[in-house]
Amino acid sequence: MELLGITGVAAITIICYLVGSLVKCTTLDNKFIPVICGAFGGALGVVGMITIPDFPATDYITAIAVGIVSGLAATGIDQAVKQLSEKKEG
């Protein structure tokens, strides 16, 4: 059942990616997207620790850190996709 814990971390990244995409649709400045994704990921890290038995964190600080890193990974993935698509066009 250890796979479920790692899958929870990937799920945080995907959910944060969606949150970042939703923020792009608002009038909020895009410079806040990494902060929003990181904060949302931190909150989801705590939820994951509480609800997923094999989550890779056993205390709140580590769960928040895992969530923040996962949330920030979502913005990194977005930027990587953006850079790759710009290289193909140019």
Side-chain angles (χ1 to χ4, degrees), residues 18-30 32-33 36:
L18 177 63
V19 169
S21 296
L22 290 172
V23 171
K24 283 184 182 179
C25 297
T26 66
T27 58
L28 194 61
D29 193 357
N30 286 348
F32 296 115
I33 292 175
I36 292 169

Side-chain angles (χ1 to χ4, degrees), residues 12 15-20 33-47 64 67-68 70-71:
I12 292 172
I15 293 168
C16 289
Y17 184 86
L18 177 63
V19 169
I33 292 175
V35 175
I36 292 169
C37 286
F40 201 78
L44 287 176
V46 171
V47 171
I64 291 169
I68 289 171
S70 299

